[in-house]
Amino acid sequence: MKLARPASGWNYLKVLPVTLGFLSLTLMSPVLAQEKLLRTLTVAGRGTENVATTLALVRLGVEVQGKTADVAQQEAARRSSAVVALLRSRKVDKLETTGINLSPTYRYDNGKQTLSGYIASNTISFRIVTEKAGPLLDEAVKAGATRIDGVSFIATDEAIAAAQKQALREATTEAQQQADVVLGALNLTRKEVVSIQINGAFTPPPPVPVNYKFAAAQSSEAASTPVVGGEQQIEASVTLQISY
């Protein structure tokens, strides 16, 4: 009887790991079951807001022809300085030089190329309240500007920021409403938001050429170049992953 005890002890040790392994599996099974029950729905919402464009981005230039490079460049510099002085006196915003160019011009007689002179040009850009842009363009032309390359319109930074926030609110509400419609049709209930992805973008309208308006304004001393802004659309999108 005493010799049988070691065999009985060996069998006890052999069974013990198997029993512990079964116990470990039993404790983990509720966690695995909970993970399988986590179901999510991904929805995307979009919001748009229109905001008035109260600022005008203006690009204009001075272009001068001369017999020599020095004559053309000096005259372009003189006129450009007068235009810049005017713009500074009107306290325009973001005034900067965007281009300086000097190039030769040629005349062709019987297939022969002959230097005829030079063209010098300076271009500048600035930002101003839209309602003041038209009269200022007329003054700039009188001061020496010979080209109005274009005008584009944007909203103020404050107005854009406010519109972006509202567009995000609309996008979030739309995404939640979509989730409610889908889950409601399936007799399911929306729970918590698992993840959020935010995308927002806005694009200013393209430049609007105004050269034809400049020509019309020159036909009458009393005429003023009409510059009218519009609206800028702010867009935002939100993607939500919602559990149910």
Side-chain angles (χ1 to χ4, degrees):
M1 295 298 295
K2 292 183 179 180
L3 294 175
R5 289 178 182 177
S8 176
W10 180 84
N11 288 335
Y12 175 77
L13 293 176
K14 185 176 180 180
V15 173
L16 180 60
V18 177
T19 304
L20 291 176
F22 177 79
L23 177 61
S24 175
L25 180 61
T26 303
L27 292 175
M28 290 178 61
S29 59
V31 178
L32 295 175
Q34 185 177 4
E35 290 180 353
K36 291 181 179 180
L37 290 176
L38 180 61
R39 301 174 298 182
T40 61
L41 172 68
T42 302
V43 289
R46 179 174 175 269
T48 60
E49 279 291 304
N50 291 326
V51 58
T53 54
T54 56
L55 296 176
L57 303 179
V58 182
R59 290 173 302 283
L60 53 80
V62 171
E63 186 172 280
V64 177
Q65 293 185 350
K67 290 293 184 180
T68 66
D70 182 65
V71 169
Q73 184 62 29
Q74 289 296 324
E75 180 62 15
R78 184 188 68 80
R79 292 192 181 191
S80 297
S81 296
V83 173
V84 169
L86 169 68
L87 297 177
R88 284 178 174 166
S89 69
R90 298 298 184 269
K91 301 185 184 303
V92 300
D93 191 23
K94 299 185 180 298
L95 176 62
E96 63 178 340
T97 298
T98 57
I100 298 176
N101 186 59
L102 177 66
S103 59
T105 59
Y106 296 94
R107 181 177 66 251
Y108 293 89
D109 296 323
N110 298 323
K112 182 180 179 180
Q113 177 179 285
T114 304
L115 179 66
S116 60
Y118 292 84
I119 296 179
S121 63
N122 294 344
T123 55
I124 57 178
S125 66
F126 60 92
R127 191 170 74 175
I128 190 172
V129 175
T130 300
E131 61 186 15
K132 296 181 179 180
L136 183 56
L137 285 175
D138 296 334
E139 290 184 82
V141 169
K142 293 177 181 178
T146 60
R147 280 202 334 259
I148 301 175
D149 293 335
V151 179
S152 58
F153 304 97
I154 62 171
T156 62
D157 294 339
E158 295 78 11
I160 290 173
Q164 282 181 317
K165 292 178 181 178
Q166 182 59 30
L168 283 172
R169 293 188 191 97
E170 294 175 2
T172 303
T173 300
E174 183 182 84
Q176 291 175 319
Q177 289 175 346
Q178 289 183 16
D180 289 337
V181 170
V182 174
L183 295 175
L186 298 172
N187 293 322
L188 299 171
T189 303
R190 172 164 57 94
K191 294 182 180 179
E192 63 181 6
V193 176
V194 177
S195 68
I196 305 171
Q197 182 178 345
I198 300 174
N199 301 305
F202 66 91
T203 305
V208 180
V210 294
N211 304 71
Y212 72 94
K213 294 180 180 179
F214 159 67
Q218 297 304 299
S219 62
S220 173
E221 290 296 329
S224 177
T225 302
V227 176
V228 181
E231 288 186 331
Q232 183 175 349
Q233 188 176 79
I234 309 298
E235 298 183 0
S237 63
V238 174
T239 302
L240 302 179
Q241 189 176 20
I242 302 174
S243 64
Y244 61 91

